[in-house]
Amino acid sequence: MCKKVLINPETESFINDLKREYNNSIVKPYKKTRDVLEILMKKFVLYQKVSIQKMDAITRATLETLPIKNLNVSDIYIVKDNEISHSFYLYFHSRYALEPFLCVVYDNDTDRLYSNCAMLEMYITILHGIDVGEIKTDSIKYHNYLNTLYSYNECKKETEY
């Protein structure tokens, strides 16, 4: 049985510790945005393309913080709160006094997926994966990907009982 790596972001060995810890969790190769959206649709129950104008004020406010130039032409999906998505909702609602809907947004202008929930956006980044070349060259993209895996797992701990 493998010994669990103790990871401390304040040490010089942080990235190497992440490499050892998450080596088997890396999704390869990088997937296109539409492929990731399809995976999300299969995994979660997403309500199809809701207009920003039809959103409640609280959810709309959370979406307006995303780095998207024009939400009016973006595809917005509400994630149903169910057994599969519940940990994302727990994390998300722990940050708001009111309870907005958790959403996935496809920005047509940039061909990117966003979420109004940081934990879900990290999960989307993980699903996208990374190309093997980035791993072999030990690139900054690879380091960022490893850090996203770490951050996502730290968020998951917050939703565990």
Side-chain angles (χ1 to χ4, degrees), residues 1 9 14 24 38 87 89 93 98 102 106 110 114 124 128 134 144:
M1 188 165 168
F14 178 62
N24 294 325
E38 192 173 304
S87 63
Y89 265 98
H93 288 164
L98 302 170
L102 189 129
Y106 174 70
T110 61
Y114 296 93
I124 290 168
H128 260 292
E134 300 290 344
N144 287 338

Side-chain angles (χ1 to χ4, degrees), residues 10 41 70 155:
E10 297 177 16
M41 287 183 160
N70 192 353
C155 289

Side-chain angles (χ1 to χ4, degrees), residues 4-59:
K4 184 124 174 107
V5 177
L6 294 176
I7 298 175
N8 181 346
E10 297 177 16
T11 64
E12 286 185 31
S13 65
F14 178 62
I15 293 296
N16 288 327
D17 293 341
L18 292 178
K19 289 175 188 177
R20 283 191 298 281
E21 177 70 14
Y22 296 115
N23 183 47
N24 294 325
S25 301
I26 297 171
V27 176
K28 301 172 251 184
Y30 185 81
K31 291 175 191 56
K32 293 180 182 179
T33 303
R34 287 292 180 179
D35 294 336
V36 174
L37 183 57
E38 192 173 304
I39 292 167
L40 291 170
M41 287 183 160
K42 287 179 183 174
K43 183 171 179 83
F44 302 109
V45 176
L46 300 181
Y47 297 115
Q48 292 280 332
K49 299 182 185 177
V50 180
S51 164
I52 188 72
Q53 292 82 8
K54 293 185 180 180
M55 289 282 174
D56 63 277
I58 304 303
T59 302

